[in-house]
Structure formats: structure tokens, C-alpha cells
Amino acid sequence: MLIAPSLLAGDFARLGEEVKQISHSGADLIHLDVMDGDFVPNLTFGPGVIEAIRPYASIPLEAHLMVWHPDTYLEELKQAGVDRVIVHQESDVHLNRLLHQIRQMGFSPGVALNPSSPANLLEDVLDLVDLVLVMTVNPGFGGQAFLSSMREKIAKVAKMRENRSGLSFRIEVDGGISPATAEEVVDAGADILVAGTAVFRNPPYTDAVHRLRMAALGKKPS
Ligand code: DX5
Ligand code: ZN
């Protein structure tokens, strides 16, 4: 089980320092929410900012692209030093081509699903990805409440993986993940927990990451 703090809840005036601190917090990777103000009703940062913070990171970076035309940013994301690229199923009708392209460029490919999109939309791309991201809030903002109805979708994706041989993607959840919700998503089948508010708004980060990990394992923090 891996913990991926989302920089969206970090202090944007001190991004380099935030990335450095979170790299030494016991977290496994850093989740970067790229939003274009159109696919989702919010704007964040793009490849330029990611390139600027890359030198401060000592754990892998994943970019969660909440943008239309995700293919247009791939070259720059490569340049920026991103390790994994997660695209939304809803953002591109040629998902097969896009996921192949992401893999060919040397990224680890992931695919994300909005809360309103059923799990079976991913059936024909599951063999192309390293990761399926089940959104547990409607994307666009941090600090929203976990949608408990998504538990069933996580379990369904886990079943799809179990029932077909040769599939080894990880299941990630994103939105409203905290020590209060970590255990139920892990029980449903989640392998990677994205957490913005629960980590960056609850310093020190080492303790926040530890609390999440303990909660996910069903233990009280020591
Ligand atoms: C929401 C983003 C999330 C966000 C989660 O659109 O994809 O990664 O940062 O924030 P919390 O953990 O605060 O719900
Ligand atoms: Zn995200």
C-alpha cells in the first residue's frame, strides 16, 4: 500500500520546499494535479512548474491530467521529469492510442475515472495501464468529502483485475482520503492512496503520512 500526497493542498508560494519536505516524510510518490480550467472548473499548474520543482523531489512524480487534449502536454511533461502520467477516460476518445503513446514515451501509464463513469468503460484498456485511478470526489478541488458510493467501483475494478489473467495494474483512489476513510478504500481494493488535505494541512508531514498508513492497515497510530 502506497501513499501519494497531492501537492494541490501544499503552499503554492513555497512549492520547492513543500516537495523537499514531502519527499522526506515517508510518502512513496508525489501526486501532481494538472488542471486546465475547462475539463475541470479550476486551474493549477503545468509542465513548467513541474520542471521547476523536480530538483527538490527525491521520490517519483505522477501527473494527474484533468485537461482536454492530454496528448498535447506529453512532450513537455517528459522534459519536466514526470514518471507516471494519468489521463482521464473522459478526456480523449482515442484512449487506446493515447495510452500506447504514453507508454512509448517512457512514462508509466495510468487511467482515471470520474465518479459518474462506470468501471466497465475501462474494460478494453486494462492491459495497457499500470494504474487505474478511481476518483472518490468530483475532480477539480481539494478538501471535498469522500463519496462512499465509490467503494463499490473500487471493488469492481479489483474484481476485473482478479478475473482476468495477466493484469497487474495498481488501483489508486483520490479525493477525501483521510485516516477516517483509508481503511475502507483499502478493504475495497485500493493499493495507492492520494491525499492532499490529510497530509499538507496536518503537519508535520511525517506524522500525517504515518497516521494514514496506520489507518489504511487498520491500526491505531503509535
Ligand atoms: C481533486 C484532485 C485531488 C485532490 C485531493 O481533483 O485530483 O488529487 O488534491 O484532495 P483531498 O485529498 O484534499 O481530497
Ligand atoms: Zn488528483
Side-chain angles (χ1 to χ4, degrees):
M1 203 272 313
L2 305 179
I3 307 281
S6 162
L7 196 59
L8 184 62
D11 180 351
F12 277 27
R14 305 168 40 252
L15 281 180
E17 187 53 35
E18 293 281 59
V19 166
K20 197 169 161 184
Q21 277 192 33
I22 212 68
S23 290
H24 296 102
S25 68
D28 301 287
L29 65 155
I30 302 175
H31 182 89
L32 302 167
D33 290 301
V34 177
M35 305 185 188
D36 67 355
D38 194 6
F39 181 73
V40 288
N42 194 9
L43 274 167
T44 53
F45 47 76
V49 170
I50 297 176
E51 191 168 0
I53 60 174
R54 185 77 192 93
Y56 298 90
S58 52
I59 54 178
L61 300 181
E62 65 175 19
H64 173 195
L65 303 187
M66 288 159 275
V67 302
W68 294 117
H69 310 295
D71 56 304
T72 56
Y73 303 97
L74 295 178
E75 206 57 64
E76 285 176 90
L77 287 168
K78 193 73 207 164
Q79 177 79 21
V82 164
D83 300 285
R84 170 173 291 144
V85 172
I86 305 162
V87 293
H88 267 261
Q89 187 278 335
E90 302 85 359
S91 70
D92 196 313
V93 288
H94 301 294
L95 199 54
N96 179 295
R97 178 165 58 205
L98 177 63
L99 291 169
H100 274 294
Q101 190 185 351
I102 291 170
R103 174 88 66 194
Q104 272 161 14
M105 289 180 74
F107 296 111
S108 166
V111 65
L113 264 192
N114 281 334
S116 59
S117 299
N120 61 20
L121 283 175
L122 297 185
E123 237 165 65
D124 292 346
V125 295
L126 291 178
D127 56 332
L128 304 180
V129 296
D130 291 341
L131 177 122
V132 169
L133 170 54
V134 177
M135 288 306 301
T136 44
V137 297
N138 285 292
F141 302 94
Q144 302 181 78
F146 172 73
L147 295 170
S148 55
S149 55
M150 292 301 113
R151 261 194 319 246
E152 227 172 280
K153 195 194 289 185
I154 300 163
K156 198 162 178 186
V157 174
K159 259 255 149 357
M160 288 159 86
R161 177 174 62 183
E162 195 183 304
N163 289 344
R164 213 190 310 165
S165 64
L167 294 180
S168 58
F169 60 83
R170 291 190 195 250
I171 300 174
E172 182 171 62
V173 288
D174 184 8
I177 304 301
S178 71
T181 52
E183 191 177 2
E184 58 183 297
V185 291
V186 169
D187 283 349
D191 312 296
I192 308 181
L193 308 186
V194 175
T197 307
V199 174
F200 283 99
R201 302 292 163 93
N202 288 282
Y205 302 156
T206 312
D207 292 358
V209 169
H210 181 69
R211 269 197 301 274
L212 257 180
R213 207 182 285 284
M214 289 299 107
L217 299 173
K219 292 180 192 160
K220 289 256 176 281
S222 52

